[in-house]
Amino acid sequence: AQKITQTQPGMFVQEKEAVTLDCTYDTSDPSYGLFWYKQPSSGEMIFLIYQGSYDQQNATEGRYSLNFQKARKSANLVISASQLGDSAMYFCAMREGGGTSGTYKYIFGTGTRLKVLA
Amino acid sequence: NAGVTQTPKFQVLKTGQSMTLQCAQDMNHEYMSWYRQDPGMGLRLIHYSVGAGITDQGEVPNGYNVSRSTTEDFPLRLLSAAPSQTSVYFCASTIRRDSYEQYFGPGTRLTVT
């Protein structure tokens, strides 16, 4: 079963507008972390934002915010004031594990390709 | 700091050949991992290590071996390359196993013919 689901293969947004990239997850582990990464066409993976399962507040990093709805198991990325340089592939990821098992496994979604239009 | 380095950047292998993808980090990071990225599949975890001498399997470990004899190095060995292993391989590290920021290497593009 898919543990991380990104249902939007591609998205378009007008420059300077906000955009929401969807991510839902599935885990029975009470301790987990949720991440978003950006992969531009050059191929490198860039960390954007992190949300811990016990964090009370939604994470924010500059123009990025993570809309964390624990009961709905969703961790959507919101990019405000989109810029042309935001055009890239975006991956949602989850880290499971920890506790006494000591295992820490990352699971990635299939990604959303965002195109910002001038 | 050089961060996470990977060599080679590109490699072409024939079916059945073996090779080692190198990964090194100079940040004294505890956790290191290998991923493969295939079109439409996102990144899938192959193997990971939570410290020197400790490794474990990820989602797609078959056909790959790893070892972690030092904190800095985490090589990935392809034992007998198959066309299904054609992919882009990323190495990543975090300062501690429960840290939230993974640093990725630039990737190795491997083609198996």
Side-chain angles (χ1 to χ4, degrees):
Chain A
Q2 285 275 53
K3 289 205 162 188
I4 293 282
T5 303
Q6 294 180 254
T7 57
Q8 307 152 313
M11 290 275 288
F12 290 94
V13 65
Q14 208 63 39
E15 196 178 8
K16 298 180 187 168
E17 292 186 351
V19 63
T20 298
L21 306 184
D22 294 341
C23 174
T24 57
Y25 62 92
D26 183 29
T27 182
S28 55
D29 195 330
S31 176
Y32 54 91
L34 296 157
F35 305 76
W36 278 92
Y37 289 86
K38 173 183 179 182
Q39 187 177 42
S41 57
S42 52
E44 73 266 33
M45 294 290 291
I46 302 167
F47 165 78
L48 294 178
I49 197 166
Y50 165 81
Q51 179 87 39
S53 58
Y54 296 117
D55 293 343
Q56 297 295 315
Q57 306 249 18
N58 284 348
T60 59
E61 289 284 348
R63 294 186 299 109
Y64 305 108
S65 60
L66 199 153
N67 185 0
F68 181 46
Q69 297 189 44
K70 197 169 183 177
R72 298 176 70 175
K73 294 192 173 178
S74 75
N76 298 340
L77 177 71
V78 180
I79 306 174
S80 62
S82 297
Q83 302 172 354
L84 295 177
D86 294 334
S87 294
M89 195 76 163
Y90 288 81
F91 291 99
C92 179
M94 175 173 65
R95 183 190 64 215
E96 286 186 307
T100 55
S101 72
T103 62
Y104 289 81
K105 294 188 178 183
Y106 287 82
I107 303 154
F108 281 74
T110 52
T112 295
R113 186 169 298 281
L114 177 67
K115 175 74 175 169
V116 180
L117 305 172
Chain B
N1 285 351
V4 180
T5 58
Q6 290 184 238
T7 55
K9 283 195 161 77
F10 301 94
Q11 183 71 50
V12 179
L13 289 178
K14 288 189 175 6
T15 297
Q17 287 185 317
S18 63
M19 79 157 294
T20 299
L21 306 186
Q22 301 291 346
C23 174
Q25 50 87 13
D26 60 357
M27 300 173 282
N28 201 31
H29 282 184
E30 179 182 88
Y31 182 101
M32 296 185 74
S33 53
W34 276 102
Y35 297 89
R36 60 178 288 173
Q37 183 176 26
D38 303 300
M41 298 287 289
L43 276 76
R44 291 183 292 168
L45 183 64
I46 304 171
H47 286 285
Y48 68 98
S49 167
V50 297
I54 307 168
T55 64
D56 204 349
Q57 295 180 350
E59 185 185 351
V60 287
N62 291 344
Y64 307 96
N65 270 359
V66 291
S67 59
R68 184 102 179 266
S69 55
T70 67
T71 300
E72 294 79 19
D73 300 299
F74 190 44
L76 178 73
R77 295 183 193 83
L78 279 71
L79 308 173
S80 176
S84 61
Q85 293 179 304
T86 293
S87 188
V88 178
Y89 291 84
F90 286 98
C91 179
S93 72
T94 61
I95 188 164
R96 290 189 319 272
R97 64 193 72 185
D98 58 348
S99 300
Y100 58 83
E101 186 169 354
Q102 276 200 99
Y103 294 81
F104 280 83
T108 294
R109 187 173 293 275
L110 175 70
T111 302
V112 182
T113 60

